[in-house]
Amino acid sequence: MSRTFVSAGRRKAFTPTVAYKAGDLAYFQGFFGVIQDDVAAGALGTLILDAGVQELKNVFGSNINPGTKVSAAPSVVATTHTIYPPASVPAGGIAIGRVWATSPASSASATIKVLLFHPNEY
């Protein structure tokens, strides 16, 4: 293997029904991934499936400790998905990754580092 190899970086082309911003966590055809570039509803976009550690918006509303498995609801939402710790997972929630670093409480600019699973559920 090359010493400069980073990742295969699996991607999936898709046409969302809602607009997304680059970096949003999105769900499409059974997969969670990170939006590569801003994409308008009905336009062709790219979902990064092998995303590694991503800084996602911490819209949950509280701190989540490193190593905690987090989940998201498999649905289409017009913004990034809310990620939930084990005690707060909604019905039908799917495990998407583990928190990589201590997260600050939710705020307009708060993010949380999550190592995403692929395929999603482990």
Side-chain angles (χ1 to χ4, degrees):
M1 179 184 315
S2 166
R3 292 182 357 159
T4 58
F5 177 79
V6 176
S7 170
R10 294 183 193 136
R11 282 152 167 71
K12 180 171 184 60
F14 78 118
T15 304
T17 56
V18 297
Y20 288 107
K21 294 284 188 191
D24 281 350
L25 179 66
Y27 179 79
F28 183 73
Q29 292 183 340
F31 294 99
F32 278 97
V34 175
I35 301 297
Q36 179 173 294
D37 299 301
D38 291 358
V39 61
L44 187 62
T46 302
L47 188 64
I48 304 171
L49 302 175
D50 275 350
V53 176
Q54 291 291 315
E55 264 190 293
L56 304 174
K57 292 177 187 167
N58 186 8
V59 294
F60 176 67
S62 65
N63 293 344
I64 304 174
N65 294 324
T68 302
K69 186 188 299 185
V70 291
S71 301
S75 59
V76 175
V77 295
T79 59
T80 193
H81 275 74
T82 300
I83 53 176
Y84 299 93
S88 304
V89 176
I94 295 174
I96 61 157
R98 289 195 183 273
V99 174
W100 189 257
T102 302
S103 67
S106 181
S107 71
S109 62
T111 60
I112 182 170
K113 291 181 181 175
V114 176
L115 175 60
L116 296 177
F117 298 146
H118 182 72
N120 294 141
E121 185 116 41
Y122 274 84

